[in-house]
Amino acid sequence: MRLEQPDGRGRFGAYGGAFAPETLMPALAELESAFVDAWADPAFHRDLERLLTTYVGRPTPVYHAERLSEELGLHLYLKREDLAHTGAHKINNTIAQVLLTTRMGKPRVIAETGAGQHGVATATACALFGLDCVVYMGEKDIERQALNVYRMRLLGAEVIPVTSGAGTLKDAVSAALRDWVASVGDTHYVIGSVVGPHPFPWMVREFQKVIGEELRNQLDGSPGSPTPDIIVAPVGGGSNAMGIFYPYAGDEGVRLVGVEAAGFGIRTGKHGASLGEGSPGVLHGAMTYLLQDRHGQVLEAHSISAGLDYPGVGPEHAYFKDEGLVEYASVTDDDAVVAFHRLSRTEGIIPALESAHGLAWIVEHAAELSGATVVLNLSGRGDKDVQQVAAMYD
Amino acid sequence: MTDTAQGNLQSMFARAREQGRCALLPYLTAGIPDADASVEIFAAMAQAGADGFEVGIPYADPLMDGPVIMAAGEAALDHGITVDIALDVIARVVDRTGKPVLAMTYVNPVLRHGIDAFFEKASDAGASGVIIADLPVNEAEPFLAAAAAVGIGLVLFAAPTTDDARLDAVIASEPVFVYAVAEVGVTGERTSASDNIAGLAARIRSRSDVPIVFGVGISTPEQVALAAPHGDGVIVGTAVVRRVLDAVSGAEAADEVGRFVRELSIAARGHRT
């Protein structure tokens, strides 16, 4: 059963909690009470809704992808989070968290980023509110997402390269948490997904569930707006998926499928399928599924998509998996790239590589889904990935 | 043997109190530059006046550690230092020096072993207690129970940011000592002395007679001397680890760290150098 909120210890069933250095614990408690207070305050909702409407561009449209639907023999609808300001769903969370930061009176914001979309969305919100912004980004990701690095700097953020570990998202989150241990007095950590210690997974889900709530109104069973049979979303940390799944979780007749990165292939061990292949443990302050060795060392993930290149996953997804509320599958780099091209050619929409994983799963299962109404959360646009994909083929 | 290990730690604190000084507990990551050499370095530190040790079990995602201890952990992992090998280093340090040893780790390796199994292994290795850097008091219950079952201690933290309610909870859990975090930040050397020490110590002491050990940001004899009057012990980590990482050989590291620990040990007696 879907939970309104985690229990008193910040748990969704066995998952979540707050495993953090003591220095941070009071800040997490402060954040929780500030969030609870704001979320119950109509003035906060008014401010947020005004920004989501006039600045972010919500509600984002639902588009019936007719050409691809015909090719696949099903009814494919795209929830166009790629059309939100800055080009991904990430802005839903950052606008809300930065609004909360101003309410807490903190002048400085830090964030981590993988693909750069969350970094750009955080830098954007900080520019809007006049806050200092520091973004930690793995050096490998800096290389493959150069465009987003430049966008963050253009928006006035400082981008700090992270050289530890594999230089990807996991290392960026760790670096941001280390900064926060030292800066907790005047700094808020705008975490980019439904991960991290309580109250982050819950709070970020609340800020992202607008995606699924809008979809309910948009595909409401009225003529031309069939209710979904199946909703598909990519899962790295899992915020876009949680945002679109949560309002539907537990609904009869709606199948929910989260698609993780199979990277070079599950059997190669080079992937990001924490739910599919991982086991429970603690990473970045939460109990969840993660990729780890038999000694409890967290493994490096692999995905062509920087946003899915993460060895953990949000604890509420771990709970959904165990409860059977969501199915989790995975798609390889190669299949995602094929889907990336296919959506571009058939619909004139260049998807983020993350979202292309979701489409690849739908393509792979088209026969079994014949005639069904399928919604893909098109979590972001693919401009950031164009250079990387071009380099593979030219 | 397990009772002796925890008792050994308690007598270390008692002896230091009697002598009007604070116990010196240097930290070093197990297995740098290699397992044998790290045992030799601990032996040299014991010779130089260390009262006990914190031995780091290398972990790939050490959220509480700054760049130096992170680098040491990565180096140790690259050399194949597993939890079991680190525990073996601890056993050898206990045998060799007779000093109380705290095993320092993070939550995930403990969970992976199984909480009870991990504490049993730590106890078998002769550790007096366990420090888990990302374990706050509200998640500590099963860890406290596992520690009690094998008769060794669990250390809990108090930071300058810790409020009174949390501090009460830490004290009520009866940790073997309170690790008083001297600086708001991760482990690492600081040029200035912490101004949190006296205040934090007074807040703990007003509640309990539990031993107080300062750590984080204490890296010079001067900083040790300033902390000494306020606590029962002091942990110096990064400054030791850096000397080991910088040394060209295990033998040079043992000499260099031995000299450094001698200075720290004098400072812990309250004599300013």
Side-chain angles (χ1 to χ4, degrees):
Chain A
M1 198 182 65
R2 176 182 97 169
L3 301 171
E4 284 297 311
Q5 61 181 76
D7 68 17
R9 294 160 65 212
R11 302 272 186 140
F12 302 95
Y15 304 103
F19 295 88
E22 173 60 27
T23 308
L24 285 182
M25 294 303 293
L28 294 170
E30 178 199 5
L31 177 62
E32 181 179 359
S33 80
F35 166 64
V36 167
D37 184 64
W39 213 225
D41 180 359
F44 183 83
H45 282 275
R46 238 183 347 262
D47 290 346
L48 181 58
E49 273 162 33
R50 180 178 51 80
L51 286 166
L52 290 179
T53 307
T54 63
Y55 186 75
V56 174
R58 303 208 71 88
T60 58
V62 171
Y63 166 68
H64 185 196
E66 292 188 45
R67 289 193 66 207
L68 196 50
S69 291
E70 197 170 323
E71 285 184 17
L72 297 174
L74 43 75
H75 304 288
L76 177 64
Y77 289 82
L78 306 176
K79 178 60 174 162
R80 297 293 307 274
E81 291 300 299
D82 62 317
L83 293 179
H85 182 42
T86 70
H89 70 288
K90 294 291 187 188
I91 190 107
N92 305 330
N93 171 42
T94 63
I95 288 283
Q97 279 205 52
V98 169
L99 198 58
L100 189 60
T101 306
T102 61
R103 219 174 140 102
M104 290 189 290
K106 293 188 169 184
R108 178 174 178 263
V109 157
I110 55 174
E112 86 296 338
T113 198
Q117 290 301 113
H118 174 62
V120 167
T122 305
T124 298
C126 287
L128 181 64
F129 286 93
L131 302 184
D132 289 339
C133 181
V134 170
V135 180
Y136 289 91
M137 189 169 186
E139 60 177 2
K140 180 175 166 196
D141 289 337
I142 285 182
E143 201 174 297
R144 55 182 168 175
Q145 302 288 354
L147 175 66
N148 274 342
V149 175
Y150 187 70
R151 289 169 80 197
M152 285 183 267
R153 289 183 172 143
L154 206 55
L155 291 160
E158 182 188 353
V159 180
I160 300 184
V162 179
T163 55
S164 55
T168 57
L169 182 55
K170 170 175 80 96
D171 312 297
V173 175
S174 297
L177 281 167
R178 284 190 193 95
D179 178 311
W180 204 30
V181 172
S183 64
V184 63
D186 73 342
T187 298
H188 175 60
Y189 176 21
V190 176
I191 210 162
S193 190
V194 286
V195 301
H198 176 70
F200 282 112
W202 171 39
M203 180 176 76
V204 176
R205 175 252 275 173
E206 288 296 298
F207 293 157
Q208 290 291 2
K209 73 180 184 187
V210 64
I211 304 172
E213 286 173 346
E214 284 176 7
L215 183 66
R216 258 195 192 290
N217 294 328
Q218 290 165 318
L219 294 183
D220 60 358
S222 61
S225 299
T227 55
D229 297 311
I230 175 165
I231 301 173
V232 180
V235 177
S239 70
N240 85 82
M242 187 53 68
I244 200 165
F245 290 164
Y246 182 79
Y248 288 91
D251 277 21
E252 287 291 321
V254 185
R255 191 176 160 199
L256 305 175
V257 178
V259 182
E260 299 188 290
F264 292 142
I266 294 295
R267 273 178 303 176
T268 66
K270 304 274 184 199
H271 58 77
S274 322
L275 287 162
E277 300 297 316
S279 53
V282 166
L283 175 64
H284 295 144
M287 177 83 73
T288 186
Y289 277 82
L290 49 100
L291 302 176
Q292 58 182 327
D293 68 13
R294 64 193 177 88
H295 305 291
Q297 302 291 349
V298 180
L299 297 171
E300 284 159 10
H302 165 80
S303 173
I304 187 174
S305 144
L308 305 186
D309 197 347
Y310 183 63
V313 66
E316 198 169 9
H317 282 291
Y319 172 74
F320 281 180
K321 174 190 158 87
D322 283 9
E323 291 283 300
L325 290 168
V326 178
E327 296 163 50
Y328 295 92
S330 61
V331 154
T332 61
D333 288 354
D334 288 348
D335 289 347
V337 171
V338 170
F340 176 88
H341 283 101
R342 187 159 183 182
L343 193 67
S344 304
R345 294 279 175 91
T346 357
E347 296 289 347
I349 296 171
I350 302 172
L353 280 172
E354 290 78 7
S355 321
H357 281 72
L359 180 60
W361 186 88
I362 294 167
V363 170
E364 192 191 326
H365 293 81
E368 127 197 16
L369 302 174
S370 174
T373 297
V374 180
V375 177
L376 170 66
N377 199 17
L378 196 70
S379 52
R381 69 183 183 214
D383 307 44
K384 68 184 175 63
D385 299 314
V386 167
Q387 252 183 336
Q388 191 190 356
V389 173
M392 292 171 64
Y393 288 88
D394 293 350
Chain B
M1 140 151 213
T2 52
D3 285 343
T4 343
Q6 190 171 347
N8 200 7
L9 181 69
Q10 278 149 357
S11 12
M12 177 195 78
F13 287 127
R15 210 161 40 243
R17 275 189 196 183
E18 265 168 36
Q19 297 168 355
R21 65 188 182 87
C22 123
L24 176 67
L25 296 150
Y27 167 98
L28 184 63
T29 307
I32 61 160
D34 59 58
D36 291 345
S38 68
V39 174
E40 294 304 320
I41 296 167
F42 281 108
M45 292 195 283
Q47 283 260 307
D51 297 288
F53 301 108
E54 181 184 348
V55 179
I57 298 172
Y59 183 56
D61 295 275
L63 288 184
M64 189 57 202
D65 287 311
V68 172
I69 293 180
M70 258 170 84
E74 282 183 21
L77 288 171
D78 286 348
H79 296 149
I81 305 295
T82 60
V83 172
D84 288 335
I85 294 173
L87 288 170
D88 184 57
V89 167
I90 287 172
R92 290 166 66 190
V93 172
V94 171
D95 275 355
R96 182 76 177 272
T97 69
K99 307 282 184 193
V101 172
L102 286 312
M104 186 272 181
T105 184
Y106 284 81
V107 169
N108 200 52
V110 178
L111 293 178
R112 190 63 173 173
H113 274 78
I115 298 174
D116 293 339
F118 179 88
F119 277 85
E120 227 162 86
K121 277 185 176 181
S123 167
D124 289 347
S128 300
V130 174
I131 301 175
I132 305 176
D134 54 348
L135 183 69
V137 62
N138 29 310
E139 299 282 1
E141 208 179 288
F143 299 82
L144 286 161
V150 294
I152 67 175
L154 182 70
V155 174
L156 292 172
F157 292 83
T161 50
T162 302
D163 60 26
D164 286 346
R166 293 190 62 82
L167 198 50
D168 289 340
V170 167
I171 301 294
S173 299
E174 299 182 342
V176 65
F177 65 77
V178 174
Y179 189 128
V181 178
E183 290 281 357
V184 175
V186 294
T187 58
E189 295 172 89
R190 310 289 199 280
T191 48
S192 60
S194 164
D195 50 14
N196 299 309
I197 285 173
L200 187 53
R203 289 177 60 213
I204 300 167
R205 201 45 88 225
S206 72
R207 288 169 164 78
S208 162
D209 202 36
V210 65
I212 301 170
V213 176
F214 290 102
V216 182
I218 299 178
S219 45
T220 66
E222 292 74 17
Q223 289 163 348
V224 168
L226 286 171
H230 301 286
D232 298 285
V234 59
I235 293 168
V236 177
T238 301
V240 171
V241 173
R242 181 173 55 77
R243 283 169 170 79
V244 173
L245 291 177
D246 287 352
V248 296
S249 67
E252 188 194 295
D255 284 352
E256 176 63 26
V257 168
R259 265 195 300 278
F260 179 57
V261 166
R262 199 171 303 282
E263 289 176 44
L264 297 176
S265 166
I266 291 164
R269 288 181 196 123
H271 300 291
R272 303 285 289 273
T273 49

